[in-house]
Amino acid sequence: MLDLEYCIEGDFIEDLMGNIFEIKGFHQPQNEIVCFIRYHPTNAISSLDRQKINLQTNKMQNYQKIYELSDKLKYVRQNYPEYEYISEKYYFPLQAVPNCRIIKHYKPEKFLCSSHLSTQESSSSVQRDTYYFCKCLSELSQVPLDHFGVTGSTLVGLETPDSDIDILIYGFEHSTKIRECLRQIFENNPSTTEIRPYNIDELRDHYTFRVPTQTISFYTFLKYESRKLHQGKFRNREFFIRFLPFSDRFIYAQRNLFSTRCIQTLGRISLQGQVAGDQNWWTTPSELEITNVKILSKTDLKEDYLQMLKENNLELSDISSTFTLRGRFTENVRLLEYFQARGSLEVVHIRNQQAYLQLSLGSHPEDYLILQ
C-alpha cells in the first residue's frame, strides 16, 4: 500500500482503476481520503480527451474531465458507489477513496523539482509557462520556489494547450509577499511585465461564466472582481493562485477536525452585514468575521430551523462568519465594508466548544457575496 502523506486542498490522488480525484478542504477521516473525482479513463476518442500513461498498464490512456459537482456525484454513484461517503456528521454529499486503493499521491509542492520543465523538447507549453510564472514571481518577491505548488491538470499530466496556470503558495508570510508583488505589478505598470490583470473584456467573459444566472449585475461584479490579486494573465495564459495559510501539510494534519466536528444545515438564507475581521479574506479557505447582520430572506430555511437553533442555544442574529473554499468568493469584500450574501446557513459543532453559525458559500449556483 502507498505510504500516504496527509492530503490537503490542491493535492490529487489516483486509484487502482486509474481514476484521478482532487482533494477538497483540509480535514480527513481515518483510512480514507475525502475527495471528488476529476478525471476518469475513457475509450472514447474526441477533441476533449486528455492522455497520460496508465500507471497500472504502462500504456497511454485517454481521460475525460468531469466539471460539474452534480456530474461528479452521478459518475461515482453509477460506477463506484463504494466511494460515496455518507456521514451523520455532514449534511452535504462527499466522496472518499480508501487508502488501500490509492496508487499515487500527486503533491503540488514537488512538481517544480522536475528538471525538465524549462526545456522545449521535454515539457508542454503549459508546463513551461507555469514554471516561468512561478520563477518570475519567486524572483520578484524573494519567496523561494519550494513554497510554490502546481496543481490542476498540469500536476497530473493531463493539461491541454489551452489549460490555465493553477498554483498554490504555502504559508501566510510567503503569500503576503507574493500578493504585494502582484499588487505593485497590477497597480503601477502591468505593461512592463508578462504578468497582468484581466482587462474589461476578459472580466466580462468571467461574468458570463461565473454568474450564468445573472443574479447580480455586471457592474456589481466588476466592483469586486477587478481588484482581485489571485487571478490574471501570464503570457496571455490565465493564472489562478490559492494562498494557503500554513507552509507545512503536517500542520494541517495536527489541526484535523474531521472526526470531532459536525456540520448541519438550516437551509438557505440571504443577508447583509459588515466585515468585522478579514485576516483570512484572501486565503484558502476564505473566512470573514461579520457583524451588523440583517436577514433579507429566510423563506428557504428548513421548517424546523427554529428548533435546531434552540437546541444549540443560538439565534439567527448570532451568524458570525462566512466560509468558502471557492475562489469566486475570495477577495470579494474587505474589513469594514458592507456586503450582501446568499448561501447555506450552517450550525458548526466542534467537540467541547460552543456551536456557532456560519454562512457557507459555493455549494449552490445562486450563491453570491457582493459589495453593497
Side-chain angles (χ1 to χ4, degrees), residues 226-242:
S226 61
R227 65 185 189 179
K228 293 186 177 183
L229 297 177
H230 69 261
Q231 60 190 21
K233 290 289 190 81
F234 176 74
R235 297 179 176 176
N236 283 324
R237 188 186 298 277
E238 290 193 72
F239 70 79
F240 181 82
I241 307 173
R242 277 173 277 183

Side-chain angles (χ1 to χ4, degrees), residues 179-324:
R179 286 178 57 78
E180 176 58 22
C181 171
L182 288 167
R183 186 191 65 78
Q184 292 185 20
I185 292 172
F186 284 9
E187 290 183 358
N188 296 335
N189 194 355
S191 63
T192 62
T193 176
E194 294 177 298
I195 304 171
R196 65 171 179 83
Y198 288 130
N199 60 38
I200 190 67
D201 290 331
E202 290 161 345
L203 286 167
R204 195 177 297 278
D205 290 339
H206 268 271
Y207 172 73
T208 302
F209 175 73
R210 293 187 176 181
V211 195
T213 57
Q214 296 188 352
T215 50
I216 61 174
S217 70
F218 176 62
Y219 174 73
T220 300
F221 175 83
L222 198 61
K223 283 196 295 184
Y224 61 81
E225 198 73 14
S226 61
R227 65 185 189 179
K228 293 186 177 183
L229 297 177
H230 69 261
Q231 60 190 21
K233 290 289 190 81
F234 176 74
R235 297 179 176 176
N236 283 324
R237 188 186 298 277
E238 290 193 72
F239 70 79
F240 181 82
I241 307 173
R242 277 173 277 183
F243 299 101
L244 273 57
F246 302 110
S247 57
D248 193 323
R249 64 178 60 241
F250 298 106
I251 297 177
Y252 288 103
Q254 294 170 352
R255 298 165 67 93
N256 183 16
L257 296 175
F258 192 89
S259 63
T260 60
R261 181 185 64 175
C262 176
I263 302 178
Q264 298 174 288
T265 182
L266 277 70
R268 291 179 51 72
I269 195 169
S270 300
L271 56 81
Q272 64 183 30
Q274 185 180 20
V275 179
D278 69 347
Q279 182 180 6
N280 295 309
W281 70 290
W282 49 267
T283 61
T284 299
S286 175
E287 299 171 282
L288 297 171
E289 297 173 35
I290 61 175
T291 189
N292 297 326
V293 173
K294 179 181 178 182
I295 307 302
L296 300 178
S297 173
K298 56 182 180 180
T299 57
D300 292 325
L301 289 178
K302 297 172 68 174
E303 291 184 0
D304 61 345
Y305 83 91
L306 287 174
Q307 180 62 31
M308 295 175 69
L309 288 172
K310 184 177 180 180
E311 291 171 355
N312 291 283
N313 297 314
L314 293 168
E315 298 180 4
L316 276 184
S317 58
D318 293 326
I319 303 172
S320 59
S321 62
T322 69
F323 176 90
T324 187

Side-chain angles (χ1 to χ4, degrees), residues 337-370:
E337 291 181 338
Y338 289 88
F339 67 89
Q340 289 187 9
R342 180 166 176 78
S344 299
L345 183 59
E346 297 176 339
V347 182
V348 183
H349 308 256
I350 299 174
R351 186 182 297 167
N352 299 323
Q353 295 183 26
Q354 171 62 40
Y356 63 90
L357 291 174
Q358 70 177 14
L359 184 70
S360 179
L361 302 160
S363 62
H364 193 281
E366 293 184 1
D367 287 357
Y368 61 80
L369 173 62
I370 61 175

Side-chain angles (χ1 to χ4, degrees), residues 26-38:
F26 300 90
H27 304 278
Q28 296 293 347
Q30 289 280 339
N31 304 318
E32 294 176 278
I33 302 300
V34 168
C35 52
F36 286 96
I37 192 163
R38 189 62 166 167

Side-chain angles (χ1 to χ4, degrees), residues 108-138:
E109 69 272 27
K110 303 295 185 184
F111 185 85
L112 291 172
C113 299
S114 302
S115 59
H116 72 279
L117 293 176
S118 62
T119 61
Q120 183 82 25
E121 295 78 14
S122 56
S123 64
S124 68
S125 61
V126 183
Q127 290 177 338
R128 290 193 298 275
D129 283 350
T130 299
Y131 170 76
Y132 283 114
F133 177 61
C134 293
K135 187 171 183 290
C136 180
L137 282 180
S138 175

